[in-house]
Amino acid sequence: MGDATADAARHAGRPLIATTIIEAIRRPEQALRSAASLALLPRPVAAAPQAAPAGAPAASPATAAGGEGPRKLVAITACPTGIAHTFMAAAALEKAAAVLGHTIKVETQGSVGAKNALTPEEIAAADAVVIAADTGVDIARFAGKRLITAGTGDALKDGAGLINRALAAEPQGGAPAGGAATPAPAKAGQAPGAYKHLMTGVSYMIPLVTAGGLCIALSFAFGIEAFKEPGTLPAALFQIGAQSALALMVPVLAAFIAFSIADRPGLAPGFVGGSLAGAVGAGFLGGIVAGFLAGYVAKFLRDRLPFPESLEGLKPVLVIPLLASLITGLLMIYVLGTPIAAALAWLTEFLRGMGTSNAVILGLVLGAMMAVDMGGPVNKAAYAFGVGLLGSETYAPMAAVMAAGMTPPLGIAVATFIARSRFSQEERDAGKAAAVLGAAFISEGAIPFAAKDPVRVIPALIAGSAVAGALSMLFGCTLRAPHGGIFVVGIPGAVGNPLGYLLAILAGTAVTALAVAVLKRNSPVAAAA
């Protein structure tokens, strides 16, 4: 009906009629009778799928997709930061499709928005869809398609397997807009729903934290209290950073957690709950709670609230925003806000009042977490912890997190230089790229080395990152930006104790490089050399 007739190509081979919205409202019975009569007409034999005999083996992926030969696929990749995993997963899928003899177009939903966007014609022509994302992705445009959902890590580890599973999947059967796709059986390493919802919120929050933190740092470059003079440039920079960008941090976090859970109905209550979390002093912890609360309340009202069919159009624009915002807001004000604010205040004071030994232990733990899976759930948990504390003016954990995240690829790059015989020529070439990625705080640059030799490489990476994180906390380093790598050191005021920070990174890099070189003495490449 209506504009939906433009997508009729995806229903090729099925009985189909087209009508207008007005005709369907005025004469629904006539439209249904016409469709039912079409279903009774004989159909071409080729259009009717043959049922497999009992006990017969399952159809191959190509057969399931409609015959042998090359297939056309489309895909979307996305990760919380939208920088590394997004594009590495896209490259892995493209490489796997080429090996299998298929063609694929991958839309990357990165930090600068969607690139290589899929057109309706390309989606209509596709035999299957692969969604490799660690954040929420709108799949409404893929209704009726064979579709598989997974994490970016799954694409990196087994891109060919994802493609084959997508081609063998059952079509969704025209899922409604905003509905969830029928997922394939989850793999052991696939991120759970709560983690994906949280990372969706974090991914939308990070640009605000980056802009706000660096604007504040630039205002401090004119003097630590220069912003207090009204009408000056430092005052304007501080207003942009602290009173605008960082003030939106918690509402955006909550809103997009709710959006990931309930789609667009979750946005309004999410923004309301996040704003109230900031107003009552609950900070990023309150924003997380408000986001999940708003999302699940909006989802419940969307899916379970009985409503007269004639008034169904009022639900998304009036009923859900009003009721979900009321429920979320009242719970945040009267029930949840005060205890969460107290918990955040305790955490902030604890972190600020830590002795040297406790600070070193915290830095060691955060550093080790950054190298365990390099962009996976453990890494992102440590990263989200550091980013969240920026809104509470606690900057030391973020410094430890970023220093520790830089050392894995930097250490690998140094190891390929000082122990060349223990790496293949391909690995030595990849080591040069890893150096650039490490300097930009893209831990994923070490993934190819860890995946190829995890028993030797991962312990070395953890050791170096733990040292970097511990030294950063020991030296009292602070960081106001959640990303940027070594390049933020040159921004006045962005890094506290920059010399100590550089020393922590260098020490962690050295430990990683030496540990990798020592542990790879007996590796197959070393033996062959």
Side-chain angles (χ1 to χ4, degrees):
M1 295 178 291
D3 293 339
T5 57
D7 294 332
R10 71 186 187 203
H11 302 296
R14 294 194 179 100
L16 184 144
I17 65 166
T19 185
T20 65
I21 296 291
I22 298 300
E23 284 297 313
I25 292 173
R26 291 177 177 173
R27 286 176 281 276
E29 297 86 357
Q30 180 178 333
L32 291 173
R33 280 196 297 269
S34 299
S37 63
L38 282 179
L40 298 177
L41 296 176
R43 299 171 63 186
V45 176
Q50 296 289 332
S60 67
T63 302
E68 299 291 344
R71 301 285 106 201
K72 292 182 179 180
L73 298 101
V74 294
I76 292 178
T77 61
C79 70
T81 56
I83 296 175
H85 268 66
T86 298
F87 301 99
M88 293 173 69
L93 289 174
E94 289 168 351
K95 183 177 179 180
V99 170
L100 294 172
H102 305 315
T103 59
I104 188 169
K105 181 177 179 181
V106 185
E107 176 182 309
T108 54
Q109 297 187 359
S111 57
V112 293
K115 293 292 184 182
N116 203 30
L118 302 174
T119 65
E121 293 78 15
E122 290 167 336
I123 295 172
D127 297 299
V129 182
V130 177
I131 306 293
D134 300 320
T135 62
V137 171
D138 183 8
I139 60 173
R141 51 183 163 154
F142 304 117
K145 289 293 182 182
R146 293 180 172 85
L147 184 144
I148 186 78
T149 58
T152 54
D154 297 303
L156 291 171
K157 295 172 186 174
D158 187 16
L162 282 186
I163 290 173
N164 286 332
R165 286 168 55 200
L167 290 170
E170 289 294 325
Q172 293 185 76
T182 304
K187 295 178 72 174
Q190 190 168 335
Y195 169 79
K196 178 172 282 192
H197 302 325
L198 175 62
M199 288 300 106
T200 299
V202 170
S203 69
Y204 283 95
M205 177 185 74
I206 286 173
L208 288 169
V209 180
T210 303
L214 292 179
C215 283
I216 294 172
L218 289 172
S219 76
F220 290 162
F222 294 89
I224 200 65
E225 295 188 354
F227 70 92
K228 294 183 179 179
E229 187 67 32
T232 62
L233 179 59
L237 291 171
F238 190 84
Q239 183 178 6
I240 294 169
Q243 299 170 14
S244 299
L246 289 186
L248 290 171
M249 182 184 92
V250 174
V252 167
L253 171 66
F256 283 96
I257 290 175
F259 172 78
S260 180
I261 296 169
D263 213 313
R264 281 179 291 181
L267 280 175
F271 274 116
V272 170
S275 297
L276 289 172
V280 301
F284 83 99
L285 291 179
I288 292 172
V289 173
F292 280 101
L293 176 63
Y296 285 115
V297 168
K299 184 178 181 181
F300 176 83
L301 293 174
R302 183 193 70 190
D303 298 340
R304 302 294 181 87
L305 181 67
F307 220 65
E309 203 167 315
S310 59
L311 300 177
E312 189 72 22
L314 293 178
K315 275 179 71 173
V317 297
L318 175 61
V319 180
I320 295 177
L322 174 62
L323 293 182
S325 297
L326 279 175
I327 294 170
T328 303
L330 291 173
L331 286 174
M332 288 302 298
I333 293 172
Y334 291 112
V335 180
L336 301 172
T338 301
I340 295 173
L344 180 65
W346 174 85
L347 176 62
T348 303
E349 288 304 314
F350 171 76
L351 292 172
R352 289 177 178 173
M354 279 191 309
T356 302
S357 59
N358 288 336
V360 169
I361 292 172
L362 176 63
L364 187 146
V365 172
L366 289 174
M369 291 174 67
M370 290 298 292
V372 168
D373 52 5
M374 289 160 290
V378 177
N379 171 286
K380 286 298 186 286
Y383 181 71
F385 177 76
V387 173
L389 289 173
L390 293 178
S392 304
E393 299 183 1
T394 305
Y395 306 115
M398 188 68 244
V401 164
M402 191 154 87
M406 295 166 63
T407 57
L410 288 175
I412 286 289
V414 174
T416 60
F417 180 76
I418 64 174
R420 295 175 58 84
S421 62
R422 297 169 193 180
F423 296 89
S424 65
Q425 182 60 47
E426 182 182 359
E427 288 176 319
R428 291 196 290 268
D429 293 338
K432 299 173 184 176
V436 178
L437 294 174
F441 181 45
I442 299 177
S443 307
E444 291 85 346
I447 286 179
F449 299 88
K452 188 172 183 179
D453 192 4
V455 175
R456 294 179 178 87
V457 173
I458 291 179
L461 302 182
I462 293 174
S465 292
V467 167
L471 288 178
S472 176
M473 295 293 283
L474 177 65
F475 297 151
C477 303
T478 59
L479 180 64
R480 293 177 176 272
H483 221 290
I486 201 71
F487 305 104
V488 299
V489 176
I491 300 176
V495 180
N497 189 10
L499 292 179
Y501 194 59
L502 291 174
L503 180 60
I505 295 170
L506 290 174
T509 299
V511 170
T512 298
L514 292 173
V516 169
V518 170
L519 291 174
K520 286 185 74 71
R521 282 181 303 179
N522 300 320
S523 67
V525 174

